Amino acid sequence: IDRKENSIGERGLALKKAVEVLKNNGRLVMFPGGGRDFKADGFYDKSELVMRVPKPGIGWIVSQSGATVIPIRLEGTDKVMPNMSNGKLPKFLRFERYLLRIWKPITIRIGEPLRFSVGVSEDEVLEKYVQAQVELYYKGG
């Protein structure tokens, strides 16, 4: 579902489409925190980003659909495809940031399903989701 970040009306339609998919027994893969940058608004442990602040859309979708949320944590994606070029390389070689480093490991941690009923508070969804993500972070530590 393309949520078209710059268009409020389009984002609303994308959220409604997500609810429709779930109500028809479909599945969604969402990244509620957005991208992979390292200077994000989020929750930190010392200077390490634990997780980005989730967008409120996940709470609304769950409130409308009663969907079960399975928290998943991906670690190491920033090493496989870094956000920034290596500043030590000459400019003509800085395309290297677009090369996948398939030899770098990615760890996938899967949490316990979070079950919700239709009408649950959006804040409750976000709170439980954040708590589950933090727990996954510390399990990997």
Side-chain angles (χ1 to χ4, degrees), residues 15-141:
L15 293 173
K16 288 178 182 176
K17 177 69 175 169
V19 171
E20 182 182 317
V21 166
L22 292 167
K23 285 185 174 180
N24 289 316
N25 206 25
R27 305 291 182 262
L28 296 175
V29 175
M30 295 178 64
F31 295 89
R36 303 178 300 118
D37 66 9
F38 307 110
K39 297 177 183 169
D41 288 335
F43 304 98
Y44 286 84
D45 180 16
K46 299 177 183 143
S47 63
E48 184 175 356
L49 180 65
V50 174
M51 69 173 286
R52 294 170 57 115
V53 174
K55 307 273 192 283
I58 185 175
W60 187 84
I61 290 170
V62 172
S63 176
Q64 297 296 307
S65 66
T68 296
V69 176
I70 300 176
I72 297 174
R73 180 171 178 79
L74 303 174
E75 297 173 359
T77 58
D78 58 318
K79 306 291 188 278
V80 173
M81 189 156 189
N83 281 345
M84 295 183 254
S85 298
N86 182 343
K88 296 177 184 176
L89 292 175
K91 285 190 179 194
F92 70 91
L93 289 177
R94 293 197 184 158
F95 67 88
E96 52 80 35
R97 84 174 212 174
Y98 300 105
L99 301 175
L100 291 176
R101 290 146 181 86
I102 58 175
W103 58 89
K104 299 282 186 175
I106 293 177
T107 301
I108 302 171
R109 298 187 198 293
I110 302 172
E112 295 296 320
L114 306 173
R115 301 193 194 303
F116 300 98
S117 58
V118 173
V120 65
S121 155
E122 296 173 31
D123 290 338
E124 181 180 341
V125 173
L126 290 174
E127 182 181 315
K128 288 186 177 181
Y129 173 77
V130 167
Q131 181 181 4
Q133 286 291 333
V134 170
E135 286 174 11
L136 287 175
Y137 171 81
Y138 284 110
K139 281 185 183 177

Side-chain angles (χ1 to χ4, degrees), residues 1-12 14 33-35 52 55:
I1 297 172
D2 183 1
R3 61 186 172 88
K4 298 189 181 177
E5 186 73 33
N6 297 326
S7 175
I8 292 172
E10 293 293 327
R11 284 186 288 170
R52 294 170 57 115
K55 307 273 192 283

